[in-house]
Amino acid sequence: MAAACVTSAPCELKEASVQQAWHVTALGDVLREQGPVAEKLCEEEAKFCRQATRYSDLSTSVGDFESVTSASPRSTCSVVGNVLALSQDPEGCRRVQDALGEAASDSKRNLLVSELHGHVFKASRCPHANHVLQKVISIMPPTSLHFMIDELSEQEGFVMRTAMHRYGSRIVQQLLRKCGPSQVGALAKAILKDAVVLSCHTFGKYAVT
């Protein structure tokens, strides 16, 4: 809504500014003849006109900038080599999910997934990237998901923080469902350690139920 206001304002403002400038020019001599007070009013009116014109030019510049930047590089760049960046973008994360689902072979799919290695904790907390992680969990075999478990378990408190996060909790739940007991041992151990706290938390409770 705000963007629409900014882009529509320049034409109206410029037209108003031109009319105001004409008005000041036409009445300038008459006002000055009326004395210092009237002349002061004329000067104030002219100042307002100049400010309106500057605002109009600025608004036009802002509108042009937004129209240029709206065509984000992420909308045209290749998915390969840009998985992490695209995953954090509303449109980009859908492209990554589509690429994962439409990959011609397991090797190509693994190549895409490999770009998420080392970024699981960050991605699990992103409103867009968490969907990419969920897609990976849903289409990859359990043996290919061990990197997620390792990254969430490698630092003290990561599992609990992820399980208690609005988006991260989804990742923990799906890993526990998809992977076997021997694979999620470290994850389960961390959850059981803080089971009481998690069970009382809005999102954490889903990891222990």
Side-chain angles (χ1 to χ4, degrees), residues 6-151:
V6 171
T7 54
S8 63
C11 293
E12 297 175 359
L13 259 173
K14 280 192 173 180
E15 184 178 356
S17 300
V18 171
Q19 292 176 350
Q20 189 76 352
W22 175 85
H23 178 67
V24 170
T25 302
L27 298 181
D29 294 337
V30 176
L31 286 169
R32 289 188 179 89
E33 290 176 359
Q34 304 304 314
V37 174
E39 186 173 352
K40 177 69 174 177
L41 289 174
C42 180
E43 291 174 356
E44 290 296 327
E45 192 170 11
K47 180 180 178 182
F48 172 81
C49 179
R50 289 193 297 272
Q51 290 176 336
T53 302
R54 283 197 298 270
Y55 177 78
S56 174
D57 293 340
L58 176 61
S59 299
T60 302
S61 299
V62 172
D64 291 342
F65 175 77
E66 290 184 345
S67 65
V68 171
T69 56
S70 62
S72 170
R74 293 178 180 177
S75 64
T76 57
C77 69
S78 170
V79 173
V80 177
N82 296 287
V83 171
L84 182 62
L86 287 168
S87 295
Q88 298 173 77
D89 179 79
E91 178 186 343
C93 75
R94 295 186 182 91
R95 291 185 59 205
V96 174
Q97 292 176 70
D98 290 342
L100 287 167
E102 298 167 4
S105 64
D106 290 341
S107 60
K108 290 184 177 180
R109 189 174 291 112
N110 286 326
L111 179 63
L112 294 173
V113 173
S114 68
E115 295 184 39
L116 295 170
H117 289 196
H119 307 287
V120 174
F121 181 70
K122 177 182 178 181
S124 70
R125 303 168 73 82
C126 174
H128 311 299
N130 84 87
H131 293 292
V132 174
L133 292 182
Q134 291 185 67
K135 180 69 174 181
V136 171
I137 295 171
S138 69
I139 65 174
M140 300 296 284
T143 53
S144 297
L145 303 176
H146 207 77
F147 77 98
M148 291 191 187
I149 298 171
D150 288 344
E151 289 183 36

Side-chain angles (χ1 to χ4, degrees), residues 153-173:
S153 307
E154 66 183 2
Q155 290 195 36
E156 183 73 24
F158 265 23
V159 173
M160 184 176 181
R161 288 170 63 187
T162 305
M164 295 173 71
H165 191 270
R166 178 184 296 273
Y167 309 121
S169 62
R170 304 169 185 173
I171 307 306
V172 174
Q173 293 170 55

